[in-house]
Amino acid sequence: MATNAAANLAQKNMGEIPVSVANQDKQRGSDSTDMLACCYVSKEKLEMRRVPKPELTDGEDAILRVTGTTVCGSDLHLYHGEIMQLKEGDILGHECMGVIEKVGPKVTKFQPGDRVVAAFNIACGQCHFCKEKLFTACEAANNSSVMEKLYGHRIAGVLGYSHFLGGFAGAQAEYARILFADTNLIKIPESVPDEKALFLSDIVPTSYHAVWRAGVQEGDVVGVWGLGPIGLCAVQWLRNVFKAKRIIAIDNVPARLELASKRWGAEVINFETDKDVAAKIFDLCPDGLDRAIDCAGFRYAKNLLHKFERAVGLETDTSEVINEMIRATKKFGTAALIADYAAYANHVLVGGIMEKGISLVGCGQAPIQRHWELCLKHIIDGSFDPTAVLTHRFPLEQTVQAYRRFDQKEAAIMKTFIETKFSGPVYPGTPMTMNVDDA
């Protein structure tokens, strides 16, 4: 929390980077209508609050009645206060879909009543990054001078993901304001239910992007670290679309390992039992991996040294998975990072990167608008099923409890559908609505 306070103070002292759009601090709110929303209070403390409903603020805005949202694994970084520039009252959540209630005067592609999914990232659609389809490199919305100082550049704003990503109100709420609607919304055909469409907002195109950026070719042997929703979706893309020859999947949650094995034929490694993951990979495939994909992230320190260094602030991120990938990947192979990393990691096996000729690829926050039409096509033709990772459906009112149980890896929760008062009936074959504490 000291880092968070220092980052907010640094932003105040340096001043905001000027941008042309309003974030949560500056957007218009209704004087007469409120809504329920999940709000950040402090580390591991969230609250459901009644807050003003957002109103059209900039000319390219759209206001959605949210019909589905979710809690993402990356939201847990916020829950633990591990992302800089969080503020009390920030509305969380970066994945949603819904029905458009109203649009601003500059919106040309959508109209009230359209059923849409919103991108997690905020892209203007007009800058040179957007024209190159690098939508998450767009600088039109994110005003964080802290990010620019730390990274040298700013990336795109993100819904509900702290002032480090622009300070925009999130989507774990009954309504959401979507900026630059013509770029950041996609229409959903009636044949695709909310339970399948929702995850176009992040995990479906993000996992596709990870496999694509890793350069996977048909016949490759690929390792996937971390079988949360992104990792499991990556396994599905590898098997059904990219046609990997072998998939080695690494995690410590038996239900996730079983799903990857039984549904998509992955060979699985439980790192609780096989402590030397690279050695186990060489047992399975002596030549090593063609490609390695990190879907786990910086929070999951395994050995005491990294746990200590993270606890006392000597590093923000652990390098353990990165080092396992470097060791297990073939010479001149590729190791790709789609997992969230925040700042600094110690003990990176940099010599292994150079001497083996490993291409270490930062996938970046996925520019999902680049991929989501193709991903939707695969959903429609049945080659990709997002509901394979959908395990639970909870009411919006219980979002805080959903965070807690998801964080503790209880009840085999992998991906949730959070319904609101605007949600339709449950799609057959997907989880029924239930009380979080009964899960």
Side-chain angles (χ1 to χ4, degrees), residues 56-71:
L56 296 172
T57 303
D58 297 304
E60 297 177 70
D61 288 352
I63 303 299
L64 301 190
R65 295 193 298 270
V66 175
T67 59
T69 183
T70 185
V71 179

Side-chain angles (χ1 to χ4, degrees), residues 118-418:
F120 74 85
N121 60 299
I122 300 168
C124 72
Q126 301 300 318
C127 69
H128 68 282
F129 291 113
C130 289
K131 289 178 180 178
E132 293 292 324
K133 298 186 177 181
L134 302 172
F135 297 99
T136 42
C138 176
E139 297 179 342
N142 186 358
N143 67 3
S144 175
S145 53
V146 173
M147 176 178 281
E148 184 162 277
K149 183 71 172 178
L150 181 63
Y151 294 164
H153 298 89
R154 289 167 290 128
I155 65 168
V158 172
L159 296 174
Y161 213 79
S162 87
H163 287 68
F164 194 59
L165 279 302
F168 294 92
Q172 289 163 0
E174 292 172 329
Y175 295 88
R177 170 177 164 249
I178 307 302
L179 292 84
F180 303 114
D182 282 345
T183 300
N184 300 316
L185 294 175
I186 183 173
K187 289 182 183 178
I188 302 301
E190 289 304 315
S191 62
V192 179
D194 283 16
E195 290 84 349
K196 291 187 176 183
L198 169 61
F199 303 127
L200 284 166
S201 59
D202 184 357
I203 65 168
V204 170
T206 291
S207 55
Y208 181 94
H209 179 71
V211 178
W212 178 73
R213 282 286 280 141
V216 173
Q217 303 295 313
E218 185 172 348
D220 277 351
V221 178
V222 184
V224 177
W225 273 255
L227 295 180
I230 297 289
L232 285 167
C233 285
V235 169
Q236 186 176 177
W237 285 121
L238 286 165
R239 176 60 66 222
N240 294 351
V241 176
F242 286 81
K243 307 299 183 184
K245 180 180 180 180
R246 296 175 70 184
I247 305 165
I248 314 297
I250 302 100
D251 204 285
N252 68 335
V253 180
R256 299 178 182 186
L257 292 164
E258 182 179 13
L259 178 60
S261 175
K262 287 188 174 180
R263 185 146 185 173
W264 300 298
E267 300 164 70
V268 299
I269 298 173
N270 186 329
F271 64 77
E272 296 285 0
T273 28
D274 291 298
K275 304 291 187 183
D276 189 336
V277 172
K280 182 63 178 179
I281 289 172
F282 288 127
D283 286 345
L284 295 172
C285 44
D287 291 337
L289 307 170
D290 296 299
R291 323 280 175 181
I293 305 173
D294 179 4
C295 303
F298 70 87
R299 288 185 53 228
Y300 301 105
K302 292 188 282 188
N303 70 41
L304 288 175
L305 177 60
H306 282 283
K307 288 178 180 178
F308 170 77
E309 290 180 338
R310 289 198 70 230
V312 300
L314 292 175
E315 68 175 3
T316 57
D317 306 354
T318 176
S319 60
E320 291 161 284
V321 168
I322 294 173
N323 290 342
E324 289 173 355
M325 293 197 301
I326 293 166
R327 292 190 178 99
T329 300
K330 292 177 181 178
K331 289 169 280 189
F332 295 96
T334 301
L337 311 181
I338 193 64
D340 283 320
Y341 283 86
Y344 299 102
N346 296 330
H347 318 294
V348 177
L349 188 59
V350 65
I353 299 171
M354 185 275 162
E355 299 293 352
K356 292 179 70 176
I358 301 293
S359 295
L360 182 62
V361 176
C363 295
Q365 294 290 340
I368 66 170
Q369 299 92 328
R370 182 183 192 123
H371 304 298
W372 60 4
E373 290 183 1
L374 178 60
C375 292
L376 178 58
K377 174 181 174 293
H378 284 298
I379 291 171
I380 292 170
D381 70 20
S383 55
F384 189 89
D385 181 9
T387 64
V389 298
L390 176 58
T391 56
H392 295 78
R393 184 183 182 109
F394 301 130
L396 178 67
E397 290 79 2
Q398 296 183 349
T399 303
V400 173
Q401 297 96 306
Y403 267 88
R404 174 180 52 80
R405 299 211 68 187
F406 184 36
D407 179 58
Q408 296 299 315
K409 297 183 179 179
E410 296 175 348
I413 294 173
M414 283 191 290
K415 197 66 178 177
T416 58
F417 186 98
I418 304 293

